[in-house]
Amino acid sequence: MLTRMPLITLTTDFGYKDPFVGMMKGAIFNINPSALIVDITHDINPYNIREAAIAVDVSHSFFPPTTVHVVVVDPGVGSNRRPILVVTDQHYFVGPDNGVFSLIYTSNSRTLDVRHIISEHYFLPQKGSTFHGRDIFAPVAAWLTKGIESAKFGDIITDYVTLPFPSVSMPTKTTHEGEVIYIDRFGNAITNIKSSEVDALYSINPEAKLRVLIKGKRVEIKNYYSQVSDKELYALINSSGYLELFVYRGNAAGEFNIKTGDTVGVILNV
Amino acid sequence: MLTRMPLITLTTDFGYKDPFVGMMKGAIFNINPSALIVDITHDINPYNIREAAIAVDVSHSFFPPTTVHVVVVDPGVGSNRRPILVVTDQHYFVGPDNGVFSLIYTSNSRTLDVRHIISEHYFLPQKGSTFHGRDIFAPVAAWLTKGIESAKFGDIITDYVTLPFPSVSMPTKTTHEGEVIYIDRFGNAITNIKSSEVDALYSINPEAKLRVLIKGKRVEIKNYYSQVSDKELYALINSSGYLELFVYRGNAAGEFNIKTGDTVGVILNV
Amino acid sequence: MLTRMPLITLTTDFGYKDPFVGMMKGAIFNINPSALIVDITHDINPYNIREAAIAVDVSHSFFPPTTVHVVVVDPGVGSNRRPILVVTDQHYFVGPDNGVFSLIYTSNSRTLDVRHIISEHYFLPQKGSTFHGRDIFAPVAAWLTKGIESAKFGDIITDYVTLPFPSVSMPTKTTHEGEVIYIDRFGNAITNIKSSEVDALYSINPEAKLRVLIKGKRVEIKNYYSQVSDKELYALINSSGYLELFVYRGNAAGEFNIKTGDTVGVILNV
C-alpha cells in the first residue's frame, strides 16, 4: 500500500463568513497536527448537492494518491441519512450519503468501496444538534491520514444514494446533445459534453466542420480563449476536458443569457 | 508545560480581496516557517468588534491546547489603545484591547492573564501608519509558537476593555428571554440562550412542552434541521450549544424578517 | 545560495467559488508535499493585470527570501504570450508575460533575470485548452521549491512586456501630482504618491503645512485613522508607505465618490 499523504481537501456550502470551516480545521489538527488542508471551495450554493458533486469530480484527480476529499453539502444532517467513506483505487472521499459522490461512482476507478461510517469512537462528542462536518467527517478524514484502515470505520454498503446527472444523447449519427451544467466566475458555460464525444464526431469526417448549437445560435469551436478578439460567443474544450461556451474577456452566460440546464448540441456540418 | 503547537488562527475584517491577510502570513512565516495557519474568517463586517468576539468564542475550543488565536478588528489602530496578549489555561489570544476578547474573559478558564504587549523587539519595523495586524499581532503570534514565554511580551494588566454582551433574563420562573446575536450564511438566527438554560426549563416539568417566542410567533423546538419538511419557522439547539431559529432548506432570517437584536423568549407551556 | 523555503504565494482572478485554485494546489502538492502555500488573493477583478501587479508588489517583501510568487491573471492564456520566471535577488515570480510583474521590474532589486519558461518536462500534461495556472505555473513553482535551478526552465529574455503605470509628476516645486490606484475593502483610496515624495515636500519647509487636493477638496494629513473622530475626508501615509485617503470608520471612496484614476495633489501650503 502507498504511504498516505496527510492531505485533506474540503468542499462545503459553509461560505467564508461563518466560523464553521475553521472549526472543522481545528478538529482535524486536534487529531493530526501534520495534516495538510486544501480548500477546494466553501462557496457551493447552499444545499446544492449537484454543484458539490461536480467540484469534487473535476478537482480530485489533481491531488496525490491517498488524498482524503471531504465534502459537506448536507441538508439532511441529523436525520438517518448515513455518513459514508468512499474508497477508490486512488483516493478517499468522506461525506453524507446524499448523492454528492455520484460522479465518483461512475468514474473509471478499478476498485470502489462505499462504507457506512458507524465507529463513534472516531467522532467528536456532540452537543446540541449535529454538525457532522466538524464532528464526524473532519475527524474521520484526520484519522484516515493517520493510517487507520478504512474497514475500521464501518461495513461496506451497496445501496448508497446515486443522483441522476444529465447525460449526453445522440439524436442523429452526426449530433450530440447535452446541456450546460455549470457557470464559472468568468461566465463561461460548461457543458457535460466530453472532448471524447466531440472527437468522435470529428473522426466521422475530419474534413467537415463542427458547430455548437445553443439557444438558436451556431457557434464555432476554437482552441483557446484569446484565439478570438471579438465579443461573439465561441466554444472550446476546456482544461477539464469538457465543451465550454465563452466570450473572450467577456461573460458568456451574462451576455447571452445562458443558464444551467440549457440544451447544447454539437453537430457535424457535412 | 505542554509542548506548543505551532498553530495560529486568524479572524479579521480584512476581507478576501486585499492583500492584507497575505502580508500577515508572510510576517508569520518569516519568523516561524513551521507555523500552521488557519483562517477562521476574514469577512467580519468592517469594525464589528462584537461579531469577531463571537467568532473567536465559538471556534477556539475546537483547536489544540496552546493554539494562538489572532483577532484583528481594530478601528482604533494607531491610537493609544493597547495591543494585548490573553493567556487562558488552554489558549493564547492576540489582538487589540477593544473588547474583542470579552467572551473569552467570561468563559470558565481556570486561569486568565491579560498582558499589555510592549516589547518592540518582537515587532516588525513600521513604515507609515500602523498595521498592527502585520507589524505586531502576527509577529507576536509567531514568536509565541516558537516558545517565547508570554511574560516576555509585557506586564499583566487588569483594566482591559470589556464590552457588554446581551444577557439572558428570567422575567418569570418558566420563561427565559434573550436575543438574536448572529445570522449565519444559511439565514439561521442564533440566539444567546444556551442549551443549559433550555434544559433548566425542561427540568421543571419534563411532561410540559417548550415554545420559542419570536416576533409574535410561537415556534416548536426540534432536534435537527431535516426533522421537518415544511417551510415554517422552527428552533433547535445548534452545534455550538445555543438556541437557533431555522427554516428547513430555507432562510429563516430572510423569510421571517429576523434581525440581530430581536428579542427571543423560551416559555414552558404548562 | 540561501536554502530555499518551500513557500509559494498565489495571486489570481479565479475567485473563491470555482475549483481552479484547489486544482493548482493539488498540482503543487503532487510535486512537493512539503510546500507551504499562502493565498494573497483570488479576487483580483477578472483580467485586471494592473490590480494583480499592485497586489504582488505590495505583499511580496513580507515573505522570506526565495519565496515563489505565482500570479495568474492571464487573458491571453493559450496564445503565444510566454510563461515567464522572474528572479530577483530575493524572490521568484512565476506567471504570464503580460506585464503583471511590471512593478517588480522597476523595484530596486540588485539583480533581475527574466526567463522564458519552455522546459515542458516540468509541466503537467495538458488536455483540452490550456490552464497554465495549473499545468505550467503551479508545477514550475513547486519544482523551484524543490531546488531546481531557474536556468533549467528556459533562457533569459530581455523583451518582456512592461505595462505603463501612472507616475507622480511635480507641476511646481512645491506640488506633487499623482492619482488613486486602488480602493481597498474599507473604501480607503490608495494613491501612487510615496512617503518619500511627501517627505521631500516637508523638507523644503518643515514649518509649513501640507495639504492633499482631491476633487476640489483640501484634505489634512494625519498620522493614523483614529486620530480623528468626525466623518470628514483625511489622508495619511499607509502601512505600505503610500499616501491614502480615508474616512474614520467610514468609506472614503463611497462617501466622496473617489475612483481609481482620480487625480491627487500634495501641496506645500507656505
Side-chain angles (χ1 to χ4, degrees):
Chain A
M1 183 198 144
L2 288 157
T3 306
R4 296 208 192 152
M5 280 283 297
L7 190 50
I8 296 171
T9 78
L10 302 179
T11 302
T12 78
D13 60 357
F14 293 155
Y16 292 90
K17 180 168 179 51
D18 302 326
F20 304 135
V21 173
M23 291 178 189
M24 287 180 65
K25 292 178 181 177
I28 288 168
F29 284 128
N30 248 316
I31 292 164
N32 189 357
S34 303
L36 295 165
I37 306 176
V38 173
D39 302 298
I40 300 299
T41 181
H42 301 294
D43 212 7
I44 299 291
N45 274 315
Y47 319 123
N48 194 326
I49 296 168
R50 279 161 203 282
E51 204 176 276
I54 292 168
V56 72
D57 182 46
V58 299
S59 62
H60 76 277
S61 63
F62 293 96
F63 287 84
T66 77
T67 296
V68 184
H69 303 279
V70 176
V71 184
V72 194
V73 177
D74 195 10
V77 63
S79 72
N80 60 357
R81 77 93 191 87
R82 298 168 293 193
I84 55 172
L85 163 60
V86 179
V87 188
T88 69
D89 53 353
Q90 290 279 313
H91 294 269
Y92 299 94
F93 301 86
V94 176
D97 182 28
N98 61 14
V100 80
F101 298 124
S102 295
L103 295 170
I104 303 301
Y105 303 150
T106 56
S107 68
N108 50 9
S109 173
R110 278 174 291 131
T111 60
L112 179 74
D113 281 350
V114 181
R115 291 176 182 277
H116 179 191
I117 298 171
I118 56 159
S119 300
E120 294 188 9
H121 52 284
Y122 293 116
F123 300 176
L124 244 58
Q126 294 169 27
K127 49 178 173 177
S129 77
T130 41
F131 175 6
H132 283 186
R134 181 191 71 197
D135 299 336
I136 298 181
F137 303 138
V140 165
W143 285 115
L144 278 166
T145 63
K146 297 264 280 187
I148 303 292
E149 288 304 316
S150 50
K152 299 273 188 186
F153 295 99
D155 288 337
I156 287 177
I157 56 172
T158 54
D159 61 339
Y160 47 84
V161 173
T162 304
L163 285 182
F165 271 75
S167 60
V168 175
S169 63
M170 286 197 71
T172 78
K173 274 187 187 169
T174 55
T175 314
H176 278 92
E177 197 170 283
E179 64 183 71
V180 174
I181 56 166
Y182 187 78
I183 309 289
D184 76 12
R185 165 179 169 86
F186 300 95
N188 299 317
I190 297 152
T191 75
N192 61 341
I193 300 170
K194 288 184 182 153
S195 60
S196 57
E197 291 161 330
V198 174
D199 288 346
L201 289 182
Y202 274 124
S203 69
I204 294 171
N205 183 350
E207 303 294 305
K209 280 184 176 166
L210 290 189
R211 285 292 179 274
V212 175
L213 274 72
I214 178 157
K215 297 178 86 81
K217 289 185 73 78
R218 296 171 79 85
V219 167
E220 281 181 61
I221 301 182
K222 297 293 177 184
N223 293 315
Y224 54 90
Y225 301 112
S226 59
Q227 200 175 345
V228 299
S229 55
D230 60 7
K231 292 295 178 188
E232 261 310 304
L233 188 65
Y234 292 97
L236 51 59
I237 302 297
N238 73 13
S239 62
S240 298
Y242 287 89
L243 187 76
E244 174 181 309
L245 294 147
F246 74 97
V247 172
Y248 176 58
R249 294 184 84 144
N251 186 305
E255 292 159 26
F256 290 89
N257 192 25
I258 300 171
K259 294 192 175 58
T260 300
D262 282 354
T263 299
V264 178
V266 187
I267 188 161
L268 189 71
N269 210 14
V270 282
Chain B
M1 182 194 146
L2 288 157
T3 308
R4 296 209 192 151
M5 279 282 299
L7 189 51
I8 296 170
T9 79
L10 303 179
T11 302
T12 79
D13 60 356
F14 293 155
Y16 291 90
K17 179 167 178 53
D18 302 326
F20 304 135
V21 174
M23 290 178 190
M24 286 180 66
K25 293 179 182 177
I28 289 169
F29 284 127
N30 248 316
I31 293 164
N32 188 356
S34 302
L36 295 165
I37 305 175
V38 172
D39 302 298
I40 300 299
T41 180
H42 301 294
D43 212 6
I44 298 292
N45 274 315
Y47 319 122
N48 194 327
I49 296 168
R50 280 160 203 282
E51 203 175 278
I54 293 169
V56 72
D57 181 47
V58 298
S59 61
H60 76 278
S61 64
F62 293 97
F63 288 84
T66 77
T67 296
V68 184
H69 303 279
V70 177
V71 184
V72 194
V73 177
D74 195 10
V77 64
S79 71
N80 60 357
R81 78 94 190 88
R82 299 169 292 193
I84 55 172
L85 164 60
V86 179
V87 188
T88 67
D89 54 353
Q90 291 279 311
H91 294 269
Y92 299 95
F93 301 85
V94 176
D97 182 27
N98 60 13
V100 81
F101 300 124
S102 296
L103 295 171
I104 303 301
Y105 303 150
T106 56
S107 68
N108 49 10
S109 174
R110 277 174 292 131
T111 60
L112 179 74
D113 281 350
V114 182
R115 290 175 183 277
H116 179 191
I117 298 171
I118 56 159
S119 300
E120 295 188 8
H121 52 283
Y122 294 117
F123 301 175
L124 243 60
Q126 294 169 28
K127 48 177 173 178
S129 77
T130 42
F131 175 7
H132 283 184
R134 181 192 71 199
D135 300 338
I136 298 181
F137 304 137
V140 166
W143 285 115
L144 279 167
T145 63
K146 296 264 280 187
I148 302 293
E149 288 304 315
S150 49
K152 299 275 189 185
F153 295 99
D155 289 336
I156 287 178
I157 56 172
T158 53
D159 60 340
Y160 47 83
V161 174
T162 302
L163 285 182
F165 271 76
S167 60
V168 175
S169 62
M170 286 197 72
T172 77
K173 276 189 186 168
T174 54
T175 313
H176 277 93
E177 197 170 283
E179 64 183 70
V180 174
I181 56 166
Y182 188 78
I183 308 289
D184 77 12
R185 166 180 169 87
F186 301 95
N188 299 317
I190 297 152
T191 75
N192 62 341
I193 300 171
K194 287 183 184 154
S195 60
S196 57
E197 292 162 330
V198 174
D199 289 346
L201 290 183
Y202 274 124
S203 67
I204 294 172
N205 182 350
E207 302 294 304
K209 279 183 177 167
L210 290 189
R211 286 293 178 273
V212 175
L213 274 72
I214 180 159
K215 296 176 89 82
K217 289 185 73 78
R218 296 171 78 85
V219 168
E220 280 181 60
I221 301 181
K222 298 293 177 183
N223 293 314
Y224 54 90
Y225 301 112
S226 61
Q227 200 176 343
V228 299
S229 55
D230 60 8
K231 291 296 178 189
E232 261 311 302
L233 189 65
Y234 291 97
L236 49 61
I237 302 298
N238 73 13
S239 62
S240 297
Y242 287 90
L243 187 75
E244 174 180 310
L245 294 148
F246 74 97
V247 171
Y248 177 58
R249 295 185 85 142
N251 186 306
E255 292 159 26
F256 290 89
N257 193 28
I258 300 171
K259 294 192 174 57
T260 301
D262 282 353
T263 300
V264 178
V266 188
I267 188 162
L268 188 71
N269 211 13
V270 281
Chain C
M1 182 197 144
L2 289 157
T3 307
R4 297 209 191 151
M5 278 284 298
L7 189 50
I8 296 171
T9 78
L10 303 180
T11 302
T12 78
D13 61 356
F14 293 155
Y16 292 90
K17 179 168 178 52
D18 301 327
F20 304 135
V21 174
M23 290 178 190
M24 287 180 65
K25 293 179 181 177
I28 288 168
F29 284 126
N30 248 317
I31 292 164
N32 188 356
S34 303
L36 294 166
I37 307 174
V38 173
D39 302 297
I40 300 300
T41 181
H42 301 294
D43 212 7
I44 298 292
N45 274 315
Y47 319 123
N48 194 327
I49 295 168
R50 279 161 203 280
E51 203 175 277
I54 294 170
V56 72
D57 181 46
V58 297
S59 61
H60 76 278
S61 64
F62 293 97
F63 288 85
T66 77
T67 295
V68 184
H69 303 279
V70 176
V71 184
V72 194
V73 177
D74 195 10
V77 64
S79 71
N80 61 358
R81 77 94 190 90
R82 299 169 292 192
I84 55 173
L85 164 60
V86 179
V87 188
T88 68
D89 54 354
Q90 290 278 312
H91 293 269
Y92 299 95
F93 301 86
V94 176
D97 182 27
N98 60 14
V100 81
F101 299 124
S102 296
L103 295 171
I104 303 301
Y105 303 150
T106 56
S107 68
N108 50 8
S109 174
R110 276 174 292 132
T111 60
L112 178 74
D113 281 350
V114 181
R115 291 176 181 278
H116 179 191
I117 297 170
I118 56 159
S119 300
E120 294 188 9
H121 51 284
Y122 294 117
F123 300 176
L124 243 60
Q126 293 168 28
K127 48 177 174 178
S129 77
T130 42
F131 175 8
H132 284 186
R134 181 191 70 199
D135 300 337
I136 298 181
F137 304 138
V140 165
W143 285 115
L144 278 166
T145 63
K146 298 263 281 187
I148 303 292
E149 289 304 315
S150 50
K152 299 275 188 186
F153 296 99
D155 289 338
I156 287 178
I157 57 172
T158 53
D159 61 340
Y160 46 85
V161 174
T162 302
L163 285 182
F165 272 76
S167 60
V168 175
S169 63
M170 285 197 71
T172 78
K173 275 188 185 167
T174 54
T175 314
H176 277 93
E177 197 170 285
E179 64 183 71
V180 174
I181 56 167
Y182 187 78
I183 309 289
D184 77 12
R185 162 179 171 88
F186 300 95
N188 299 318
I190 297 152
T191 76
N192 62 342
I193 300 170
K194 286 184 185 154
S195 59
S196 56
E197 291 161 331
V198 174
D199 289 346
L201 289 182
Y202 274 124
S203 68
I204 295 172
N205 183 349
E207 303 294 303
K209 280 185 177 165
L210 290 189
R211 286 292 179 274
V212 175
L213 274 72
I214 178 156
K215 298 178 88 83
K217 290 184 73 77
R218 297 170 80 84
V219 168
E220 281 181 59
I221 302 182
K222 298 293 177 182
N223 293 314
Y224 53 90
Y225 301 113
S226 59
Q227 200 175 345
V228 299
S229 55
D230 61 6
K231 292 295 179 188
E232 261 310 302
L233 189 65
Y234 291 97
L236 50 61
I237 301 298
N238 73 14
S239 61
S240 298
Y242 286 90
L243 188 76
E244 174 181 309
L245 294 147
F246 73 96
V247 171
Y248 176 58
R249 294 185 85 142
N251 186 305
E255 292 159 26
F256 290 88
N257 193 26
I258 300 171
K259 293 193 175 56
T260 300
D262 282 354
T263 300
V264 178
V266 187
I267 188 162
L268 188 71
N269 211 14
V270 282

